[in-house]
Amino acid sequence: MFQLSEAQKKFFDTFGYLVLKGLFSKEAQLISDAFDRTMAQHNNDAIDWNHRAHGNESRIFMAQFIDRDEYLSSLLDDERILGIYKGLLGDDFNYRGSDANIFQCSTCWHSDTYGALLKYRNVKLAFYLEPLTEKTGCFRVLPGSQHFGDKFSNKLQSFLNKGDSLFDDLGLRDDEIPAQIIPTEPG
């Protein structure tokens, strides 16, 4: 069984994220093909959503995504996925759902807590299916922002409640917000 190290668990507890490069590198093409196939088969369920968090540009998403494909749903039982969840949540955890996204835009910092039951610890896994850099929309995190209820997290959340931007209050464009920038490669 895949296991997170104690250092990885402490890192997650402190900073709110983990990067596990190459963990699914052998399956990257299979996952990408299943993504494309599922989006094509269920394209009537895809939602083209324009929102301030994405610069009011197009973002296509589909809810309950992996449940629509036998291969993708089998990943829920993969020892690596189970090892991540068990390492961060313990043996008694619940899977709550999945979504798929096609970003044709940038995204500003936002709290990814929509629909989350915040009285419980939540973990979200993301697979990036194409290479992304700082200039092309790679993943960005604000370490420590996951600590709901503390002063830093509350202050960030108060900015979001005003409209998903720190520009009006701090003069920062979305791409200028101090963040950990995480370039991605498939797998």
Side-chain angles (χ1 to χ4, degrees):
M1 170 73 69
F2 174 81
Q3 291 186 331
L4 294 174
S5 69
E6 287 304 313
Q8 287 172 313
K9 292 178 197 179
K10 288 177 183 175
F11 186 95
F12 183 84
D13 288 341
T14 303
F15 299 110
Y17 71 97
L18 285 175
V19 177
L20 302 170
K21 290 184 180 187
L23 190 62
F24 281 86
S25 58
K26 291 180 183 174
E27 296 87 353
Q29 191 60 54
L30 287 171
I31 293 169
S32 185
D33 291 345
F35 176 91
D36 292 341
R37 178 178 62 247
T38 304
M39 287 300 273
Q41 288 174 347
H42 299 278
N43 65 348
N44 289 338
D45 294 334
I47 298 168
D48 190 355
W49 188 46
N50 298 343
H51 187 270
R52 165 64 191 105
H54 309 288
N56 293 315
E57 296 178 35
S58 177
R59 167 192 165 215
I60 298 169
F61 78 94
M62 187 180 297
Q64 295 309 113
F65 187 75
I66 66 171
D67 306 306
R68 300 167 187 259
D69 181 84
E70 185 176 349
Y71 173 69
L72 292 175
S73 63
S74 75
L75 294 175
L76 290 173
D77 295 320
D78 185 284
E79 71 158 37
R80 294 162 289 185
I81 299 291
L82 291 174
I84 294 166
Y85 281 133
K86 288 180 179 187
L88 299 175
L89 301 171
D91 289 337
D92 187 22
F93 66 89
N94 291 314
Y95 162 73
R96 289 202 59 233
S98 65
D99 60 86
N101 295 274
I102 299 174
F103 289 93
Q104 299 163 345
C105 57
S106 183
T107 185
C108 69
W109 182 83
H110 60 281
S111 178
D112 206 0
T113 57
Y114 179 78
L117 301 172
L118 297 180
K119 68 179 184 176
Y120 301 105
R121 186 170 189 175
N122 291 271
V123 173
K124 183 172 187 174
L125 297 178
F127 287 92
Y128 281 77
L129 303 178
E130 57 189 53
L132 295 171
T133 67
E134 177 180 358
K135 304 253 186 250
T136 60
C138 72
F139 190 54
R140 297 168 187 255
V141 295
L142 301 185
S145 62
Q146 84 282 5
H147 296 295
F148 300 109
D150 79 357
K151 188 175 182 179
F152 175 66
S153 183
N154 287 350
K155 188 162 219 80
L156 285 172
Q157 197 64 43
S158 73
F159 290 125
L160 292 181
N161 292 337
K162 292 182 187 178
D164 289 334
S165 179
L166 299 182
F167 188 79
D168 291 341
D169 292 292
L170 300 177
L172 292 173
R173 292 187 327 261
D174 295 334
D175 64 341
E176 295 176 321
I177 296 170
Q180 179 65 42
I181 296 168
I182 305 169
T184 59
E185 290 290 332

